[in-house]
Amino acid sequence: MHLPHLARRRFLALSAGAGALMVAPQMVLATVPGERRFVFIIQRGAADGLNIVVPYADPAYATLRRELAIDPAGATKLDGHFALHPALAQMGQMYGQGQALFIHAVASPYRDRSHFDGQNVLETGGMHPYAVRDGWLNRLVGLMPRVSERAIAIAATVPPALRGRVPVESYAPSSLSQPSDDLMRRVGQLYASDAELHPLWSAALDANAAADALAVRQDAAGLGRLAAKFLTKPNGPRIAMLETGGWDTHTGQQGRLATQLRALDTLIATLRDGLGADWANTTVLIATEFGRTAAANGTGGTDHGTGSVAMLLGGGVKGGRVLADWPGLGPSQLYEGRDLRPTIGLDGVIAGAAAEALGLAPDLTARTLFSGIPGKPQTGLIV
């Protein structure tokens, strides 16, 4: 599929200033009939669900997290057990308005803690890495009545979730890649014992973090506005995918996670404001490939884990609640003695949310998106 010259010029004009959101911004949009809208946001890097929706009433939480523990007094209390990270101020307000639902202790079928494999399972809907070639979001578009110009990707490459038989064209503003978390950790180790270079390295990191925090929030707002412009066009797309990166917080998690969450909060709020009245017909699903360890590590962060949190937001979401079959954080309750044990299947959450958001049959949607899904799709998520 190729965009006509005039359409391409308008497309580029809308894309101006999108830049890079949290390391690697990408947006995918699919055209389907109707006024309902479904947006999937992936958090690449394994977002720490335990510090996003905080189980402050679990007695083991503060002990495991030590200096990384979120003080519930400064967070948004959701109920008698959970609180929302203070950086998610707009989402906290949406929760109070019944437009935000948090699903905790959730995970895909994947259990081996590799980013690449975990993201592949999450995006393809397979039971194992690389067992399925196309993506569940592409198959979701295929369930909708046939239309012309099915999908557009604002991305350097089409994400696996939207790869498949539905044609997709991609575009992305050029941007320099960011250094990996592992590289930054190794460089820091090299300078750790150098009396002259270590203070300079630390000062440079502090200055860079401050600049990045401002840039990320500005960029998040730009991406939210851009997505809203496409989603509100009379004959525009009704399904979108946004990619965010930078969630791999092995070191310096406290400040880094707060920056990431403020940007995500800005993205959601800007998308809501840009959609206007169409927010009432919109469902936003946010999910990550897996969570992080229950205990803090020795470098001010957390390592690759298992269970995490998924988030549903929108005017049609049956929100104002936390959905959880809480397994506990005691030593005998953790998965393999180290991670939050998953008790809700992310596949079922995705299938149920997508079906209810777009007015599809939940069982058919679950079978199409996740052929190996255990049990039934999660329903009762959307009003």
Side-chain angles (χ1 to χ4, degrees), residues 27-31 150-154 162 227 230-231 237 239-241:
M27 178 167 65
V28 177
L29 305 109
T31 303
R150 301 294 296 266
I152 297 173
I154 302 177
L162 204 70
F230 278 104
L231 289 167
I239 293 178
M241 177 176 173

Side-chain angles (χ1 to χ4, degrees), residues 58-61 64 81 105 294 325-343:
D58 191 309
Y61 169 74
L64 287 165
H81 196 275
D325 178 10
W326 190 245
L329 295 175
S332 64
Q333 298 168 319
L334 295 175
Y335 177 72
E336 295 186 347
R338 49 170 280 165
D339 301 340
L340 174 64
R341 182 180 299 277
T343 56

Side-chain angles (χ1 to χ4, degrees), residues 66-84:
R66 305 192 304 273
E67 71 278 3
L68 293 184
I70 301 297
D71 183 357
T76 301
K77 292 281 185 71
L78 302 176
D79 56 24
H81 196 275
F82 297 103
L84 191 63

Side-chain angles (χ1 to χ4, degrees), residues 91-252:
M91 289 193 198
Q93 292 180 14
M94 294 178 199
Y95 182 88
Q97 296 163 357
Q99 297 181 0
L101 167 65
F102 303 106
I103 305 102
H104 220 319
V106 67
S108 79
Y110 180 72
R111 293 291 180 273
D112 291 333
R113 306 184 184 96
S114 161
H115 290 305
F116 298 109
D117 290 352
Q119 289 171 25
N120 181 269
V121 170
L122 170 58
E123 293 186 78
T124 63
M127 293 295 292
H128 307 285
Y130 311 103
V132 179
R133 299 181 67 88
D134 58 350
W136 66 261
L137 195 54
N138 192 285
R139 297 194 294 276
L140 177 64
V141 177
L143 283 176
M144 307 301 291
R146 194 165 188 81
V147 295
S148 63
E149 292 204 336
R150 301 294 296 266
I152 297 173
I154 302 177
T157 59
V158 178
L162 204 70
R163 293 178 190 167
R165 65 181 182 84
V166 176
V168 176
E169 178 162 315
S170 64
Y171 166 84
S174 65
S175 61
L176 296 175
S177 60
Q178 300 295 314
S180 69
D181 193 60
D182 183 63
L183 175 61
M184 297 295 284
R185 184 172 67 251
R186 289 174 182 270
V187 173
Q189 289 173 346
L190 287 175
Y191 291 161
S193 59
D194 192 307
E196 294 184 5
L197 292 179
H198 180 68
L200 295 175
W201 173 251
S202 298
L205 287 180
D206 291 342
N208 188 62
D212 283 349
L214 178 60
V216 163
R217 291 191 68 185
Q218 290 175 337
D219 198 64
L223 187 60
R225 284 191 292 268
L226 178 61
K229 285 181 180 180
F230 278 104
L231 289 167
T232 53
K233 283 179 170 292
N235 297 314
R238 295 296 179 260
I239 293 178
M241 177 176 173
L242 310 182
E243 292 191 288
T244 65
W247 300 95
D248 194 18
T249 51
H250 289 284
T251 61

